[in-house]
Amino acid sequence: MESADTSEIRLLPGGPRGFTEPISVAVGTMPYFRLGAADVTGDGIPDVLVPGHGDNTVRIVHRGKSGLAMSSRKVRLSDKPWMVVGDDVSADRRNDLIVVHSDAVSVWLATSRGFSPSPGSPFRIATATEAATGDLNGDGIADVAIGPWDGNEVTIIEGGTLTVRKIRACGRPIGLAIADLDGDQRGELLVACATENKLVVLKWPETK
């Protein structure tokens, strides 16, 4: 959960009898509610990825020796972030950051000292709204799918090469997920169509 009024996020720890009392972590900026979760610090424990709406940053909350705390690592952006997801798009076994902006998506590659923008980043995508990651083509590298608020095409950024392609899906494809539904080691792209009241399932050969 996020609290814009107090510049903090709140987490509900799970336990054998359900959730316990929330833990608050100050993040030093107005957080946007579309938080992400992925291990980007390399300790094997998922971190919380916070879109810093108040100062155009991505903040990272990780588990320290004394509990949850904000990491000293942060990414400074050129404009407001709306959503952050983490996945390995460079095949180096480190999770990278994918950030959705108003009309673009930026990809920040993990390095030993933090994160650096990938070649071609930010990728201009008008009215970018939603992002999902997963292996669409079966090469073992996460790909990125981005849905716009306006239009009927989903933008794919292929993992590894970061090649950009567009595929026709449906009207306002703003609900996205990637999952291997048939067990062929390639994820299907699931698209919720806001203006057509239907769900579209796309396989990789159909995107070529």
Side-chain angles (χ1 to χ4, degrees):
M1 298 181 293
E2 56 80 32
S3 176
D5 293 336
T6 59
S7 298
E8 63 185 13
I9 64 169
R10 295 168 185 166
L11 296 91
L12 293 172
R17 297 184 178 181
F19 292 110
T20 59
E21 289 298 313
I23 299 173
S24 297
V25 181
V27 293
T29 182
M30 184 185 79
Y32 195 64
F33 72 93
R34 300 182 76 183
L35 306 174
D39 175 21
V40 297
T41 56
D43 61 0
I45 302 173
D47 308 299
V48 182
L49 312 177
V50 183
H53 216 56
D55 61 356
N56 300 346
T57 60
V58 171
R59 306 293 181 111
I60 299 168
V61 174
H62 69 120
R63 178 166 294 281
K65 294 181 179 180
S66 58
L68 293 172
M70 190 172 71
S71 170
S72 59
R73 291 187 177 186
K74 62 183 175 182
V75 176
R76 294 199 175 277
L77 308 168
S78 59
D79 61 0
K80 293 184 183 301
W82 296 95
M83 180 181 186
V84 185
V85 295
D87 213 333
D88 181 10
V89 300
S90 58
D92 64 355
R93 299 186 180 181
R94 294 184 293 192
N95 284 327
D96 310 298
L97 297 176
I98 299 95
V99 185
V100 176
H101 307 266
S102 295
D103 289 296
V105 169
S106 60
V107 176
W108 296 81
L109 302 179
T111 71
S112 59
R113 297 183 178 181
F115 299 91
S116 62
S118 73
S121 182
F123 300 90
R124 297 298 172 186
I125 302 170
T127 67
T129 301
E130 177 77 5
T133 62
D135 184 7
L136 289 168
N137 56 8
D139 64 357
I141 309 173
D143 308 297
V144 183
I146 303 103
W149 183 259
D150 296 322
N152 60 7
E153 292 183 321
V154 174
T155 299
I156 304 296
I157 303 175
E158 294 184 37
T161 63
L162 300 184
T163 302
V164 177
R165 65 169 68 198
K166 293 182 181 293
I167 61 171
R168 188 177 297 275
C170 55
R172 191 167 288 172
I174 58 172
L176 300 178
I178 296 174
D180 182 7
L181 301 179
D182 55 9
D184 67 351
Q185 308 303 312
R186 295 181 298 175
E188 281 70 54
L189 176 60
L190 315 179
V191 186
C193 316
T195 61
E196 298 182 23
N197 297 325
K198 67 181 181 181
L199 174 68
V200 173
V201 180
L202 298 173
K203 292 183 66 66
W204 183 255
E206 297 178 27
T207 70
K208 291 185 178 180

